[in-house]
């Protein structure tokens, strides 16, 4: 047993230069580790609360309430606890909060603390983080290498596809092969974009920031870029879209800027089905807002065995929401983001819920990321189908993919499911 001896905190920045809380755990045996909280840009109504002084943004002073929370609430609850007992630590965080969505102690505080404790627990137990996390899950962890998917393009701010993510899903399961595919298609897409006279700039998530008018033109260009690399749609790769439906739901229908006029959920469903017919599109994330359950159900029913209908804001990485939603036939895929639900244990529980239902599970980045590769270990520990860590560029994204390459060395090719 190694005990937590000190819990400290500081204000740092995330990958977008937005202030974030970093929590440092000191434990027996000279262990000292820190993790900071990532941050979403499209944040659903069911996700953990970010405790901060928004009036002080973008300065570090915005983190003041989170610092106070660590010192006054979290520190007394954790000092003296076994750093290896992740579930007990995370339960203590929930108890000290005492409510839903970590409104008291802050979801940002909870997740940074929980991840730092997990890192410390891995050091204390002398195991790789993913092994330690697998042991901390609710069942024996189905340790497995996820396949990396890539934000190959993200809709530019102010464009018709703002918040839309265009994802490349390699069929190659070996991380190095899939990553090579990602970087090659990324380069080919840049050549296509500049060849068409478009300016080509980095998106905040490691893809290209694009302004091509709409989803169809963008998907067509990505398919063409992949073909430039000798890759065949439907065979070597598929496409995915994150539509961030909740951002565009209005009383008049879905007012996506790429539409000429708002569409009803029924009309939008027809549009999605048409895309699945015309493009190698097999992954539709947040196609609707969470409340539109009939629309989710209808799309899922029509796309069974053709494309995954994936909930991000719909589930908010919560095991119970996943359980209920999958039983109701709303989706057959779930994003898992630790900061959406608040603790590592809850994220592992969400992965377990997904595995029990046999759905597609995607451990995901946030748009505001940290330098840590924690989510890579979480994906391996929870047997995730995919690792969604952005485009293959920028160290905040690459760190996650590089860690997958390192972990892959511990898995033999003949045995993809157990290291
Ligand atoms: C998403 C993520 C990550 P955000 O919606 O899936 O790509 O973005 O940071 O807005 O949650
Ligand atoms: Mg999403």
């Amino acid at each position: 047993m190694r005990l937590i001896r000190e819990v400290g905190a500081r204000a740092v920045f995330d990958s977008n230069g937005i202030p974030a809380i970093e929590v440092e755990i000191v434990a027996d045996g000279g262990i000292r580790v820190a993790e900071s909280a990532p941050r979403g840009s499209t944040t659903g109504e069911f996700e953990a609360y970010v405790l901060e002084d928004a009036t002080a943004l973008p300065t570090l002073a915005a983190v003041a309430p989170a610092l106070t929370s660590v010192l006054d609430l979290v520190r007394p609850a954790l000092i003296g606890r076994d750093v290896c007992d992740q579930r007990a630590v995370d339960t203590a965080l929930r108890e000290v909060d005492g409510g839903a969505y970590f409104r008291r102690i802050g979801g940002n505080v909870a997740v940074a603390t929980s991840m730092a404790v997990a890192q410390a627990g891995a050091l204390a137990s002398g195991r790789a983080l993913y092994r330690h996390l697998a042991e901390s899950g609710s069942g024996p962890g189905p340790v497995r290498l996820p396949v990396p998917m890539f934000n190959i393009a993200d809709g530019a701010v102010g464009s018709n596809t703002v918040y839309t993510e265009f994802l490349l899903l390699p069929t190659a399961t070996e991380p190095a092969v899939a990553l090579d595919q990602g970087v090659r298609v990324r380069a080919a897409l840049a050549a296509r974009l500049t060849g068409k006279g478009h300016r080509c700039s980095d998106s905040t998530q490691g893809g290209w920031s694009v302004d091509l008018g709409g989803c169809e033109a963008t998907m067509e260009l990505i398919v063409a870029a992949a073909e430039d690399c000798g890759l065949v749609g439907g065979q070597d790769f598929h496409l995915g879209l994150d539509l961030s439906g909740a951002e565009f739901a209005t009383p008049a229908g879905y007012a996506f800027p790429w539409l000429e006029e708002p569409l009803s959920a029924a009309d939008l469903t027809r549009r999605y089905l048409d895309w699945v017919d015309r493009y190698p599109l097999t992954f539709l994330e947040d196609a609707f807002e969470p409340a539109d359950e009939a629309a989710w159900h209808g799309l899922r029913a029509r796309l069974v065995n053709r494309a995954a209908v994936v909930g991000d804001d719909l589930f908010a990485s919560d095991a119970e929401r996943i359980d209920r939603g999958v039983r109701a036939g709303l989706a057959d895929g779930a994003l898992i983001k630790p900061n959406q639900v608040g603790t590592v244990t809850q994220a592992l529980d969400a992965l377990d819920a997904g595995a029990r239902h046999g759905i597609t599970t995607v451990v995901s980045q946030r748009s505001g990321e940290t330098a840590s590769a924690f989510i890579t270990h979480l994906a391996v520990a929870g047997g995730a189908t995919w690792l969604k860590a952005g485009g293959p560029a920028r160290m905040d994204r690459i760190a996650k993919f590089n860690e997958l390459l390192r972990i892959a060395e511990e898995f033999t090719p003949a045995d993809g499911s157990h290291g």
Side-chain angles (χ1 to χ4, degrees):
M1 195 187 268
R2 299 271 176 96
L3 303 184
I4 296 174
R5 294 297 178 189
E6 190 48 274
V7 181
R10 63 178 64 85
V12 296
F13 292 104
D14 73 11
S15 61
N16 289 324
I18 295 177
I21 181 81
E22 179 169 279
V23 175
E24 189 165 276
I25 298 292
V26 178
D28 287 341
I31 291 168
R32 179 185 289 266
V33 282
E35 282 279 350
S36 59
R39 183 190 189 99
S41 58
T42 56
T43 50
E45 58 185 305
F46 303 109
E47 71 174 83
Y49 175 71
V50 177
L51 179 67
E52 67 185 353
D53 175 5
T55 64
L57 286 172
T59 70
L60 289 169
V63 180
L67 292 172
T68 305
S69 166
V70 174
L71 297 183
D72 292 356
L73 302 172
V74 171
R75 184 175 176 274
L78 294 198
I79 285 185
R81 286 185 183 275
D82 179 3
V83 78
C84 293
D85 194 345
Q86 186 71 34
R87 193 162 284 271
V89 165
D90 289 341
T91 301
L93 289 172
R94 293 178 76 175
E95 281 171 2
V96 72
D97 185 79
Y101 307 118
F102 288 105
R103 289 194 172 277
R104 181 164 181 239
I105 68 168
N108 48 339
V109 167
V111 79
T113 307
S114 183
M115 292 194 301
V117 168
Q119 294 276 18
L123 286 175
S125 66
R127 287 184 299 219
L129 177 59
Y130 71 88
R131 295 246 173 246
H132 174 62
L133 292 175
E135 301 280 322
S136 306
S138 28
V143 174
R144 178 172 76 166
L145 289 176
V147 178
M149 67 163 71
F150 305 106
N151 288 55
I152 208 77
D154 291 315
V157 175
S159 76
N160 277 353
T161 51
V162 61
Y163 292 138
T164 309
E165 299 179 344
F166 299 87
L167 305 159
L168 183 80
L169 282 62
T171 54
T173 55
E174 205 182 315
V177 178
L179 277 158
D180 278 346
Q181 193 180 100
V183 292
R184 287 168 62 219
V185 175
R186 188 173 190 278
L189 182 59
R192 283 259 171 191
L193 282 164
T194 48
K196 279 180 164 281
H198 294 283
R199 287 201 194 91
C200 190
S201 60
D202 281 301
S203 83
T204 56
Q205 302 191 105
W208 296 119
S209 177
V210 297
D211 182 3
L212 295 175
C215 297
E216 303 186 8
T218 311
M219 285 193 280
E220 275 156 27
L221 206 67
I222 294 169
V223 169
E227 285 171 354
D228 293 343
C229 301
L231 302 170
V232 178
Q235 180 183 306
D236 301 312
F237 72 93
H238 294 104
L239 295 181
L241 288 176
D242 179 1
L243 296 139
S244 294
E247 299 292 316
F248 302 102
T250 73
Y254 285 91
F256 287 105
W258 40 265
L259 290 169
E260 275 165 22
E261 56 184 36
L263 280 189
S264 68
D267 287 338
L268 197 54
T269 299
R270 274 188 279 281
R271 182 72 60 100
Y272 294 147
L273 295 175
D274 175 53
W275 287 351
V276 171
D277 284 339
R278 287 165 51 211
Y279 305 108
L281 178 65
T282 59
F283 185 100
L284 285 163
E285 178 181 332
D286 280 355
F288 307 102
E289 67 167 327
D292 219 345
E293 295 201 351
W296 280 92
H297 187 274
L299 186 67
R300 153 89 178 106
R302 286 176 183 82
L303 286 179
V304 174
N305 295 329
R306 296 181 66 204
V309 175
V310 182
D312 175 6
D313 291 344
L314 177 70
F315 295 136
S317 306
D318 180 79
E320 277 174 33
R321 292 187 64 82
I322 291 172
D323 197 44
R324 197 163 41 79
V326 174
R327 279 180 205 281
L330 306 186
D332 52 7
L335 269 269
I336 315 288
K337 301 163 167 172
N339 80 323
Q340 217 172 21
V341 66
T343 64
V344 172
T345 300
Q346 288 167 283
L348 286 165
D349 288 349
L351 279 157
D352 282 335
R356 267 200 316 282
H357 286 290
I359 62 167
T360 298
T361 50
V362 187
V363 168
S364 169
Q365 62 175 357
R366 299 312 300 253
S367 45
E369 261 303 328
T370 78
S372 163
F374 192 97
I375 59 168
T376 306
H377 287 266
L378 180 69
V380 176
T385 321
W386 297 98
L387 172 65
K388 180 185 176 193
R394 293 176 56 126
M395 211 58 209
D396 42 298
R397 316 291 147 173
I398 287 288
K400 281 76 169 165
F401 294 129
N402 281 349
E403 192 72 350
L404 189 61
L405 293 173
R406 294 186 195 100
I407 296 173
E409 292 173 6
E410 296 166 33
F411 287 67
T412 61
D415 178 12
S417 60
H418 293 278

